[in-house]
Amino acid sequence: MTLEASSRRTFLKQAGTLLAASTVGTPKPLAEDLFIPMDEEQANHLKAYGAVYAALQRGQTVDWLLNYRGGGFLTEASQTVREELQVRGVSFASISAGRASTIIAEVEADGSNKSVVPLQKAPEIAVYAPEGAVPWDDAVRLALEYAEVPHDVIYDEEVLDGDLASYDWLHLHHEDFTGQFGKFIRYRNEPWYIQKQNKAEAAAKEFGFRKVSQLKLAVTERLKQYVSQGGFLFSMCSGTETFDIALAAHQTDIVPEEYDGDPVDPNALEQLDFANTLAFRNFTPNLNAQEYEHSNIDVGPPAPEMRDPSLDYFTLFEFSAKWDPVPSMLTQNHVATVRGFVGQTTAFDKDALKEDVVVLAEAPDRPQVRYIHGAHGQGTFTFYSGHDPEDYQHFVGDPPTDLSLHSQSPGYRLILNNILFPAAKKKKQKT
C-alpha cells in the first residue's frame, strides 16, 4: 500500500517552524486542528470512529497517528467536526498549528515506531446478511449501528448480480457458506430454522441451483473474485471458517444427507482443494451432521470448567507503523490484551494457517490465533474469530448487547479499525 503525506502536514511543519521563531509577546495562535485521542483518555472510542468516518464523507482529510495515543486522529478544525464530536460524546482537544506540528514531528521521527497515515475518502460499506437478520445478531452490524456508520445490507441476489463493484469494504454476516444451515440441526423443529431452510432452498432453485450448497459456492466464488479485484473483505465467527471450507470443497460434496438429501462424496476429503482457499489449509471438514463444529480449523472454546471470562484473553501483536502500516492500522488499540469471547468459530488452529497469512492476535501459551489478515490479488481479507466481544458466551435467543455500556471496548475497536483501513488507499478500488 502506497501512502502519501497530505499537503496539510507540510503546512503544519512550516507553521510550527514560524511559530517557534516568533518573538515573546506574539498573540497566542488560534486553534488550527482537532486532536482525537484514542488511549485511555477517550470517553467513547467506538463513536470516535463514526465521527472520523463522517469527516471523511464531507471530504475532509483525517490523519491517523498510528501507535500514538492509542492510534489517535488529527484533522483540520471546523465547527462542523467540533459539533459532531460533541454530540457523539467523543473526547477531543483543540490545538494550535505549532502543537500539531510537534505531534507530527514526534510521530514521523526516525527510529520511532509510529507513523502518520492520511485517510482520504470514506469507503462505501456493505454487509452481506439475509433479509430479516437483526443488527444485534452480528457484532459488526452492532458496531456500525452504534458508531453511526452508514452501510448497505446485501445478500445473494446482489452478489450474483454484480453489485459488489459498488463497495470498497464488505463484511460477511455469520453465514454458513457450506450450505448446512449453520449445523444447527438440533433446532430443526424450531420455526425460525424451518423458515431459514425453506427460504434458502427456494433461493437456490430461483437461481438455478439444485442445492443450497451449490448456490453458496457460487456466491463464495464471487466474493473471492471481489477480493482479487481490490475489495476489502472482513468476517467474524463462522463466516470465516465456512468461507474457506466451501472454497476447498468446490470439486466435491461434503454436505451430509440430513441437510441436502444426498450423501457426502465418499472421496470428499481426498478431493479438497486447498489451493483455492484464502486463509486456511490442510484442514478436515466435519462430516457428521449431528455435530456443531464445521471443521478442525476451529479449536473450539475452552473446556466448561475453564470457561472463565476473567481468565480467557488474547494479545495483539505490535507492528512497526512505518514498515507494516496495514497490520498496524488493524491492531490500533488502547490496550494490548483483549478479553476472549466464544463463538461457533472461537479461535483458529495456528497449524491450519497458510504461510503468508499475518497473525494479528493470538492466545498466549496456546497454539491458536484470534485475528488474522492476508492479501489475495489486489485486495485483502481480515478474519476475526468469536461472536461478540462483549458477550463472552452468546446463545441463541440471548438479549442484544448494549454498546452504550461498552463504548470503550477493545474487542469492538478491532472491528472498527477495519472500516477506516480502506480510507488510506489513494483511489477507490476497481472491482
Side-chain angles (χ1 to χ4, degrees):
M1 176 183 294
T2 301
L3 301 170
E4 60 180 17
S6 65
S7 59
R8 188 172 67 83
R9 196 185 324 163
T10 301
F11 163 78
L12 287 172
K13 288 183 177 180
Q14 294 172 346
T17 302
L18 292 173
L19 286 167
S22 64
T23 61
V24 177
T26 300
K28 184 178 180 179
L30 297 175
E32 298 283 354
D33 283 85
L34 299 176
F35 173 65
I36 305 170
M38 291 296 280
D39 54 13
E40 291 82 356
E41 293 186 14
Q42 177 55 250
N44 196 319
H45 291 91
L46 306 188
K47 290 280 190 182
Y49 288 95
V52 169
Y53 188 92
L56 294 172
Q57 279 190 307
R58 289 190 291 271
Q60 191 160 333
T61 296
V62 179
D63 286 334
W64 198 353
L65 310 180
L66 301 185
N67 294 342
Y68 178 82
R69 297 285 302 274
F73 301 100
L74 184 65
T75 190
E76 184 178 352
S78 74
Q79 190 59 28
T80 302
V81 174
R82 194 187 312 273
E83 291 174 354
E84 187 91 43
L85 294 167
Q86 290 171 337
V87 168
R88 294 175 187 245
V90 177
S91 305
F92 69 97
S94 299
I95 61 174
S96 67
R99 176 57 183 153
S101 176
T102 300
I103 291 173
I104 288 174
E106 177 185 341
V107 172
E108 294 281 67
D110 292 340
S112 79
N113 191 33
K114 308 177 184 72
S115 182
V116 177
V117 173
L119 304 178
Q120 299 168 328
K121 183 179 180 181
E124 295 294 331
I125 295 175
V127 173
Y128 171 88
E131 182 182 358
V134 290
W136 54 83
D137 235 9
D138 180 84
V140 176
R141 291 188 68 188
L142 200 61
L144 294 174
E145 294 278 347
Y146 180 73
E148 302 175 68
V149 175
H151 57 281
D152 294 337
V153 178
I154 64 173
Y155 203 49
D156 294 338
E157 181 177 358
E158 289 82 2
V159 172
L160 295 177
D161 285 350
D163 292 356
L164 289 177
S166 302
Y167 302 101
D168 303 294
W169 189 88
L170 176 68
H171 163 60
L172 306 180
H173 177 82
H174 297 293
E175 186 71 27
D176 183 351
F177 290 100
T178 68
Q180 297 178 81
F181 314 112
K183 300 202 78 174
F184 281 108
I185 200 167
R186 71 184 81 170
Y187 299 106
R188 62 184 176 276
N189 295 320
E190 295 289 332
W192 63 265
Y193 183 95
I194 295 171
Q195 181 184 37
K196 177 180 180 179
Q197 181 175 356
N198 289 342
K199 289 179 69 174
E201 290 174 346
K205 291 179 181 178
E206 180 182 347
F207 286 106
F209 297 100
R210 186 173 62 84
K211 301 192 300 182
V212 175
S213 59
Q214 294 171 342
L215 166 62
K216 292 302 176 185
L217 174 59
V219 169
T220 305
E221 289 176 333
R222 287 291 184 93
L223 294 171
K224 181 184 175 184
Q225 183 182 44
Y226 162 77
V227 178
S228 71
Q229 294 176 340
F232 297 86
L233 185 72
F234 180 82
S235 188
M236 288 186 69
C237 203
S238 58
T240 64
E241 179 184 8
T242 64
F243 187 87
D244 262 12
I245 296 172
L247 289 174
H250 70 110
Q251 297 174 331
T252 189
D253 184 350
I254 62 164
V255 181
E257 187 172 0
E258 292 88 334
Y259 294 115
D260 65 0
D262 58 33
V264 170
D265 189 314
N267 298 314
L269 298 182
E270 290 75 23
Q271 294 173 341
L272 295 175
D273 180 10
F274 298 116
N276 199 44
T277 60
L278 291 183
F280 305 109
R281 63 178 182 177
N282 303 332
F283 55 82
T284 303
N286 188 339
L287 306 182
N288 187 335
Q290 305 300 322
E291 293 181 0
Y292 183 55
E293 293 77 15
H294 278 95
S295 77
N296 61 354
I297 292 173
D298 175 30
V299 299
E305 63 273 12
M306 296 293 292
R307 211 166 296 175
D308 184 346
S310 66
L311 300 176
D312 192 1
Y313 63 94
F314 58 93
T315 56
L316 298 172
F317 282 97
E318 183 177 356
F319 295 91
S320 168
K322 287 184 171 58
W323 298 103
D324 296 305
V326 172
S328 292
M329 282 186 274
L330 297 177
T331 54
Q332 290 301 290
N333 225 310
H334 52 289
V335 297
T337 299
V338 181
R339 290 195 305 269
F341 50 100
V342 174
Q344 187 171 18
T345 302
T346 298
F348 309 127
D349 184 348
K350 201 169 187 177
D351 291 337
L353 297 181
K354 289 192 170 184
E355 291 181 355
D356 55 350
V357 170
V358 178
V359 176
L360 303 174
E362 67 178 4
D365 302 320
R366 287 175 283 177
Q368 56 184 252
V369 299
R370 299 297 307 260
Y371 188 36
I372 61 175
H373 176 74
H376 174 65
Q378 299 176 41
T380 71
F381 61 90
T382 306
F383 290 166
Y384 188 19
S385 61
H387 185 88
D388 186 330
E390 293 298 336
D391 185 354
Y392 181 72
Q393 192 168 343
H394 188 85
F395 291 103
V396 174
D398 277 359
T401 298
D402 183 355
L403 281 188
S404 67
L405 303 176
H406 306 284
S407 60
Q408 297 175 306
S409 169
Y412 269 94
R413 275 200 67 181
L414 296 179
I415 295 171
L416 293 172
N417 283 335
N418 282 269
I419 67 164
L420 293 185
F421 160 47
K425 298 291 286 187
K426 290 175 62 178
K427 297 179 181 180
K428 182 176 179 179
Q429 293 298 294
K430 295 181 179 180
T431 55

